[in-house]
């Protein structure tokens, strides 16, 4: 961070730099807001009453899959990254976990993860929505917002198809794997904040393959202060309110090409 004078590469698609403290301030404000809003962590994790041995095995498998994604993407030649990226993600973040669920026959856990009704509570939508609105204001409309980026040079239909694929592969799949499947289990084993930090780290480090700089130290610093800090916010939001749809919306808006809106309207 010292080498880059406090600037980080905030997107894998552009080389535009922004001060890292912008992201820190936004995430810090949101973490404080989540802490102050009503809600309880008690009795909102189905794995706290499950078989601990099974929980340890499942957490180990999921953590291993996350590490394999990180290692695999780093080992792939940069020119081939776009080919292997979706393959590795589908194999390691989707097929691997689904096979694990099938082997352990954890139907109750799987339903809790994939069904919105399993996590609905009186404050399930109200307070997460407040947090989301504040995030939108800070991330897009405040002095801390990221700078405008160049438009993609492609047909609007192609851009929409690409954005839709990216939404499923990144926003949906990553939030399911890192927050819902991995973090929820780690919370039952390690506690809330150790689990949030561990899942945020595992989520952040795979981004080293697609952004952050030419040297490993700068790339690692970049993803820790960028995705790592964002992961703390998303992880805390998930731990308190268990609303995966809000996480997907926020993650989706981070990656969403705003020129689609301009092109449609």
């Amino acid at each position: 961070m010292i080498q880059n004078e406090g600037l980080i590469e905030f997107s894998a698609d552009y080389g535009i730099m922004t001060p890292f403290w912008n992201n820190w301030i936004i995430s810090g404000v949101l973490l404080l807001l989540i802490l102050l809003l009503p809600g309880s962590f008690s009795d909102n994790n189905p794995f706290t009453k499950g078989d601990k041995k099974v929980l340890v095995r499942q957490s180990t498998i999921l953590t291993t899959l996350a590490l394999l994604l990180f290692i695999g993407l780093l080992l792939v030649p940069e020119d081939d990254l776009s080919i292997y990226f979706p393959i590795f993600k589908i194999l390691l973040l989707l097929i691997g976990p689904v096979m694990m669920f099938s082997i352990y026959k954890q139907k109750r856990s799987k339903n809790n993860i994939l069904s919105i009704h399993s996590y609905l509570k009186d404050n399930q939508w109200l307070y997460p929505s407040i947090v989301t609105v504040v995030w939108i204001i800070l991330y897009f409309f405040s002095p801390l917002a990221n700078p405008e980026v160049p438009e993609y040079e492609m047909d609007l239909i192609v851009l929409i198809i690409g954005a839709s694929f990216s939404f499923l592969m990144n926003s949906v799949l990553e939030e399911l794997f890192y927050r819902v499947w991995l973090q929820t289990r780690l919370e039952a084993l390690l506690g809330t904040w150790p689990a949030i930090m561990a899942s945020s780290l595992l989520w952040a480090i795979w981004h080293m393959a697609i952004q952050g700089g030419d040297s490993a130290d700068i790339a690692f610093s970049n993803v820790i202060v960028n995705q790592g800090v964002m992961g703390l916010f998303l992880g805390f939001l998930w731990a308190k309110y268990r609303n995966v749809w809000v996480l997907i919306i926020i993650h989706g808006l981070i990656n969403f090409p705003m020129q689609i809106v301009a092109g449609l309207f």
Side-chain angles (χ1 to χ4, degrees), residues 69 73 76 80-91 93 165-166 169-170 174 206-207 209-210:
L69 176 66
L73 291 177
V76 168
D80 298 329
L81 191 59
S82 61
I83 299 174
Y84 287 96
F85 177 74
I87 296 174
F88 284 177
K89 269 199 165 182
I90 292 173
L91 287 175
L93 300 192
F165 180 75
S166 174
M169 290 292 297
N170 298 321
E174 287 178 22
W206 80 257
H207 290 83
I210 60 173

Side-chain angles (χ1 to χ4, degrees), residues 99-111:
M99 289 179 61
M100 182 190 74
F101 299 148
S102 177
I103 292 171
Y104 282 97
K105 297 181 180 179
Q106 293 292 318
K107 294 183 179 180
R108 176 176 177 275
S109 298
K110 184 177 180 181
N111 290 334

Side-chain angles (χ1 to χ4, degrees), residues 112-242:
N112 280 338
I113 289 168
L114 298 179
S115 173
I116 186 174
H117 300 289
S118 300
Y119 287 108
L120 279 180
K121 294 184 178 180
D122 292 340
N123 59 0
Q124 181 73 20
W125 282 101
L126 175 59
Y127 299 117
S129 297
I130 293 173
V131 174
T132 303
V133 170
V134 174
W135 173 80
I136 289 173
I137 293 171
L138 293 174
Y139 191 83
F140 291 106
F141 303 107
S142 77
L144 302 172
N146 289 325
E148 293 186 10
V149 298
E151 292 188 352
Y152 293 95
E153 297 181 358
M154 62 181 69
D155 184 75
L156 180 60
I157 298 300
V158 175
L159 182 59
I160 292 174
I161 294 173
S164 300
F165 180 75
S166 174
F167 176 76
L168 293 174
M169 290 292 297
N170 298 321
S171 306
V172 176
L173 186 54
E174 287 178 22
E175 292 308 319
L176 284 175
F177 182 88
Y178 289 99
R179 245 67 70 177
V180 182
W181 296 339
L182 177 59
Q183 181 184 309
T184 312
R185 286 170 170 78
L186 291 179
E187 286 178 38
L189 291 175
L190 308 176
T192 300
W193 273 106
I196 292 173
M197 290 187 286
S199 58
S200 297
L201 176 62
L202 290 169
W203 177 57
I205 57 176
W206 80 257
H207 290 83
M208 289 177 62
I210 60 173
Q211 71 182 92
D214 296 328
S215 63
D217 57 337
I218 293 180
F220 180 75
S221 299
N222 191 99
V223 300
I224 291 300
V225 302
N226 189 6
Q227 285 86 3
V229 174
M230 176 62 72
L232 298 180
F233 154 55
L234 293 173
F236 193 34
L237 183 59
W238 167 249
K240 190 165 186 177
Y241 294 114
R242 300 296 189 217

